[in-house]
Amino acid sequence: MTTLTNLLDLDPAQLVAYCGELGEKPFRAKQLQRWIHQFGASDFDAMTDLAKSLRDKLKTRATITAPAIISDHTSADGTRKWLVDVGNGNAVETVYIPEENRGTLCISTQAGCAVNCRFCSTGKQGFNRNLSVGEIIGQLWMAEFELRRTKGIAPGPKGERQITNVVMMGMGEPLLNYEPTVTALKLMLDDNAYGLSRRRVTLSTSGVVPMIDKLSQDCPVALAVSLHASNDALRDGLVPLNRKYPLRELMDACRRYLAFAPRDFITFEYCMLDGVNDGDQHARELIALVQGSNPVPCKFNLIPFNPFPESGLTRSQNPRIKAFAQILMDAGIVTTIRKTRGDDIDAACGQLAGEVKDRTRVQERMKKMTEYQEKFGKDFGRIVEISS
Ligand code: SF4
């Protein structure tokens, strides 16, 4: 049996090569790419400006398949969270956060994560596997066209784009799944696909120093660094990767990255942990770290911790978070406190498919999905919600 090529796995150059293998000219690849990424098409027969002979070839050799949706929840504040199946009992979450002038999609790059940050529920699951290009870009493909379908907005470049910003801040460390992540980034930026500006695509890393340098050469997008501590001793305990790439090396990598970055600052994310990293002295250490003799232009984003029982950690009190922010701001550092979104659907930061108890529910839902599929057969189609 021929294995079908999933066209969501191919970047623009690979699609040209693929069309070449089919005996087609390069401009066919552009047409195909527009159908896939601008019109959300998955049916080759709908691609009416492609010759019938090409459509027939594609039908026997290719597919356009994004990860299947297991569940789809919308929060009271409009945040929408999808749980998507990435095979072998693994699932990841994709979260859409609507705001007045933009729509941000938070996507995952790995099922589980090997970095095992102490405050992160995803890390507690351990590492399952890297996502493919199709599974990463497929989250954007699925979300953009699901949102349009829900709102009755036509697909195509003329329809109002729903996702204006992408953040790679979901499950996993993107720089430890480097090639698929960069291929997906290139598709996000490509004018024949999503055409997002580099400034509107942010990759968040826990600090994989050599890959930060590589990203600056291959596909520099906005960079966020999960910092979470003001000195090495503290960070070693919170972000174990720090033992390999300590703060001095990380700050050097940030400075080097800025020479190629689309923005003139790095965003430092800082999860506020009660009594752990939220003291005045920690704020002062941070100021010394980024404003010392060799400064790093940056902004801070303080994230109120979303507690989960296995962490043994609690969220800093709001007045403490505000006082901490004030110390940074008094030193001239732009500082924001992340608004918690989607709390009622467990879509808040650090809860992405990661809550250990939710992991069990993932398995339950997937079991139910299989039962439903068996009951209703292949006509069951796209699963939007499975009651649980
Ligand atoms: S914070 Fe990011 S890098 Fe750390 S364990 Fe969680 S997903 Fe992995």
Side-chain angles (χ1 to χ4, degrees):
M1 202 174 77
T2 322
T3 310
L4 298 178
T5 302
N6 187 358
L7 300 187
L8 286 178
D9 278 323
L10 307 184
D11 71 12
Q14 290 165 333
L15 202 53
V16 169
Y18 182 77
C19 284
E21 283 167 27
L22 299 182
E24 300 289 336
K25 298 235 163 47
F27 77 92
R28 292 291 183 205
K30 274 199 184 137
Q31 286 178 304
L32 201 44
Q33 200 180 315
R34 282 190 215 120
W35 277 112
I36 299 169
H37 296 290
Q38 296 189 342
F39 288 89
S42 56
D43 175 4
F44 294 113
D45 279 330
M47 302 180 183
T48 44
D49 59 356
L50 298 185
K52 183 160 185 319
S53 58
L54 173 56
R55 284 187 263 151
D56 288 343
K57 264 189 259 181
L58 288 168
K59 278 194 273 184
T60 58
R61 299 182 202 197
T63 181
I64 299 161
T65 308
I69 298 169
I70 299 170
S71 67
D72 177 349
H73 295 276
T74 303
S75 156
D77 67 15
T79 301
R80 189 164 169 183
K81 180 177 80 166
W82 295 273
L83 184 71
V84 298
D85 176 14
V86 290
N88 297 328
N90 292 311
V92 297
E93 284 178 357
T94 308
V95 178
Y96 170 71
I97 305 148
E99 287 171 291
E100 201 175 317
N101 298 318
R102 64 182 176 184
T104 302
L105 190 71
C106 178
I107 65 180
S108 299
T109 53
Q110 296 180 310
C113 183
V115 178
N116 196 16
C117 299
R118 199 176 143 206
F119 51 85
C120 174
S121 53
T122 298
K124 296 289 162 281
Q125 285 186 24
F127 174 69
N128 293 308
R129 73 171 182 82
N130 283 324
L131 300 193
S132 66
V133 176
E135 288 166 338
I136 299 172
I137 202 70
Q139 294 170 65
L140 175 54
W141 183 87
M142 171 279 293
E144 176 68 35
F145 298 108
E146 276 291 313
L147 288 163
R148 288 200 195 193
R149 195 182 53 75
T150 309
K151 293 183 182 175
I153 297 168
K158 293 196 177 126
E160 187 194 346
R161 183 186 286 175
Q162 297 303 292
I163 294 160
T164 60
N165 295 58
V166 172
V167 291
M168 285 186 160
M169 290 184 187
M171 212 170 169
E173 164 52 68
L175 295 184
L176 292 180
N177 183 20
Y178 188 80
E179 295 298 339
T181 292
V182 168
T183 303
L185 285 174
K186 286 180 179 168
L187 276 167
M188 290 173 201
L189 303 177
D190 194 284
D191 283 340
N192 289 305
Y194 301 90
L196 294 172
S197 107
R198 287 180 192 279
R199 296 161 61 86
R200 289 176 173 267
V201 178
T202 302
L203 182 143
S204 173
T205 178
S206 55
V208 192
V209 165
M211 305 319 268
I212 293 175
D213 286 326
K214 191 157 164 48
L215 185 71
S216 73
Q217 302 305 303
D218 293 342
C219 193
V221 291
L223 189 70
V225 171
S226 297
L227 194 61
H228 310 303
S230 54
N231 61 60
D232 280 321
L234 185 56
R235 196 162 190 266
D236 283 352
L238 292 175
V239 184
L241 193 70
N242 195 69
R243 293 176 208 147
K244 193 163 184 190
Y245 304 114
L247 282 172
R248 188 182 52 75
E249 288 182 32
L250 180 55
M251 293 300 123
D252 285 346
C254 289
R255 285 183 204 99
R256 291 192 296 273
Y257 191 85
L258 281 169
F260 303 93
R263 291 187 179 272
D264 55 6
F265 60 89
I266 302 285
T267 301
F268 288 125
E269 291 157 349
Y270 198 93
C271 186
M272 298 297 292
L273 305 167
D274 186 30
V276 175
N277 65 355
D278 64 349
D280 288 358
Q281 75 278 18
H282 298 117
R284 287 192 290 270
E285 270 184 331
L286 287 176
I287 294 164
L289 186 71
V290 301
Q291 291 189 336
S293 53
N294 200 358
V296 183
C298 64
K299 288 184 179 176
F300 268 82
N301 188 17
L302 306 182
I303 305 166
F305 174 58
N306 285 299
F308 59 100
E310 294 79 4
S311 70
L313 299 163
T314 49
R315 180 188 293 192
S316 306
Q317 300 292 313
N318 284 343
R320 178 86 297 263
I321 298 175
K322 282 186 186 150
F324 195 92
Q326 195 60 52
I327 295 172
L328 296 178
M329 288 190 290
D330 287 347
I333 300 172
V334 174
T335 305
T336 52
I337 299 171
R338 187 177 290 174
K339 208 163 101 191
T340 302
R341 299 287 303 259
D343 252 353
D344 53 333
I345 56 167
D346 282 356
C349 200
Q351 292 180 334
L352 295 189
E355 259 196 52
V356 178
K357 67 176 166 53
D358 193 51
R359 172 111 178 111
T360 315
R361 295 191 64 231
V362 168
Q363 302 288 356
E364 275 172 24
R365 289 179 204 168
M366 292 190 76
K367 189 162 159 275
K368 278 191 184 168
M369 182 178 77
T370 311
E371 286 166 9
Y372 274 55
Q373 277 173 323
E374 275 165 9
K375 192 168 167 193
F376 295 105
K378 64 179 167 34
D379 292 337
F380 185 62
R382 183 161 268 197
I383 296 157
V384 171
E385 172 60 278
I386 297 166
S387 59
S388 52

